[in-house]
């Protein structure tokens, strides 16, 4: 069974530039999560989708971050404009449905903002 | 105060040792609990779910104490390959909130 796919794996940009990350969850998984993990910290949930609807985006900095999950499958996370403090690994995860299900993570995108 | 707190460690133990980690949570509405393992520069992977009755998987035992609002992970007979960061995860059904702890680093040495 294919896992969660993410691209790109690495991205280096300058501050104030824009960047987008892509995630393809495990087939059939209704719930998709985007996390930000800063070095030395645990993953922080940015946004959670149930199919193509947003369930929780309370920690998403909406002035610069946006995310969408069209058709309830793939998802993109965008940062515009990027700040130095956005340097982190952005992890995408998916689960079958309810919050009690196991989350499967993709390999992440390592973002460096210079 | 953070909603989910873990001792960051690091825990440095010799092979064969028994080591235990605790994780405390502050929201009594928390419904489900997990331990994930994260190797250096890798993604987190589920280690085990934590049930009210406790559960065991080989050398690993997880327990939940709802009254005191903490979960624990016990690793017996530590192996070099157990070296990793162990993340505590707490979910709340209301609002579907998922919260990760900052992780506890474990180093097992020969």
């Amino acid at each position: 069974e294919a896992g969660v796919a993410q691209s790109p794996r690495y991205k280096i940009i300058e501050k104030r530039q824009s960047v987008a990350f892509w995630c393809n969850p495990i087939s059939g998984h209704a719930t998709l999560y985007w996390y930000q993990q800063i070095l030395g910290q645990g993953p922080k949930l940015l946004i959670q989708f149930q199919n193509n609807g947003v369930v929780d985006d309370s920690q998403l900095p909406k002035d610069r971050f946006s995310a969408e999950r069209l058709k309830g499958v793939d998802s993109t996370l965008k940062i515009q404009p990027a700040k130095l403090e956005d340097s982190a690994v952005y992890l995408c995860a998916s689960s079958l449905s309810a919050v009690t299900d196991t989350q499967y993570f993709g390999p992440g995108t390592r973002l460096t903002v210079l | 105060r953070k909603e989910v707190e873990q001792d960051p460690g690091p825990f440095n133990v010799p092979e064969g040792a028994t080591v235990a980690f605790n994780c405390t949570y502050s929201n009594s509405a928390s419904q489900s609990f997990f331990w994930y393992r994260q190797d250096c520069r890798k993604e987190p992977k589920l280690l085990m779910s934590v049930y009210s009755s406790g559960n065991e998987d080989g050398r690993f035992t997880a327990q939940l104490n709802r009254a005191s609002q903490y979960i624990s992970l016990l690793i017996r007979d530590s192996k070099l390959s157990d070296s990793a960061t162990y993340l505590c995860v707490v979910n709340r059904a209301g609002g579907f909130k998922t919260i990760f702890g900052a992780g506890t680093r474990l180093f097992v040495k020969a």
Side-chain angles (χ1 to χ4, degrees):
Chain A
E1 178 184 85
V4 177
Q6 288 189 249
S7 67
R9 292 294 309 277
Y10 304 91
K11 190 74 177 177
I12 300 174
I13 61 173
E14 295 190 348
K15 60 183 179 184
R16 292 188 288 274
Q17 285 188 322
S18 301
V19 64
F21 313 129
W22 173 81
C23 173
N24 184 253
I26 293 173
S27 177
H29 281 196
T31 309
L32 186 147
Y33 314 77
W34 281 104
Y35 291 90
Q36 179 193 61
Q37 187 172 26
I38 292 172
L39 189 64
Q41 299 181 19
K44 181 180 85 170
L45 181 67
L46 293 175
I47 189 167
Q48 178 180 334
F49 293 94
Q50 185 75 15
N51 296 307
N52 60 346
V54 176
V55 172
D56 182 1
D57 64 355
S58 56
Q59 297 193 97
L60 187 73
K62 298 179 185 66
D63 58 333
R64 298 185 300 106
F65 287 64
S66 64
E68 60 182 9
R69 191 183 184 197
L70 300 176
K71 301 180 182 178
V73 183
D74 293 15
S75 177
T76 56
L77 175 70
K78 296 179 182 178
I79 307 175
Q80 181 180 8
K83 293 185 175 181
L84 296 176
E85 59 261 36
D86 298 332
S87 294
V89 176
Y90 291 84
L91 294 161
C92 178
S94 70
S95 65
L96 264 177
S97 56
V99 70
T100 54
D101 286 341
T102 301
Q103 294 184 35
Y104 296 87
F105 285 81
T109 297
R110 187 173 299 274
L111 174 68
T112 302
V113 182
L114 302 175
Chain B
R1 182 187 172 192
K2 294 181 181 178
E3 188 164 346
V4 177
E5 294 202 74
Q6 294 184 250
D7 181 343
F11 286 65
N12 294 288
V13 303
E15 271 187 298
T18 295
V19 61
F21 310 134
N22 280 341
C23 168
T24 59
Y25 61 95
S26 60
N27 194 311
S28 59
S30 300
Q31 187 175 35
S32 56
F33 309 88
F34 306 86
W35 284 102
Y36 278 71
R37 171 192 169 129
Q38 186 171 28
D39 293 299
C40 187
R41 300 178 77 87
K42 298 286 189 180
E43 70 273 21
K45 292 184 179 178
L46 178 70
L47 179 64
M48 56 199 310
S49 302
V50 188
Y51 305 120
S52 297
S53 56
N55 52 311
E56 187 173 315
D57 182 4
R59 299 181 293 107
F60 298 83
T61 301
Q63 293 191 315
L64 167 64
N65 185 317
R66 285 192 182 272
S68 300
Q69 295 186 190
Y70 74 87
I71 65 172
S72 63
L73 177 68
L74 180 76
I75 305 174
R76 290 181 299 276
D77 189 23
S78 299
K79 310 291 186 191
L80 294 175
S81 56
D82 294 334
S83 297
T85 296
Y86 291 84
L87 298 161
C88 162
V89 181
V90 174
N91 288 342
R92 283 192 270 128
F96 292 84
K97 191 93 171 179
T98 295
I99 303 170
F100 277 74
T104 297
R105 296 184 69 187
L106 172 66
F107 294 100
V108 181
K109 300 183 177 182

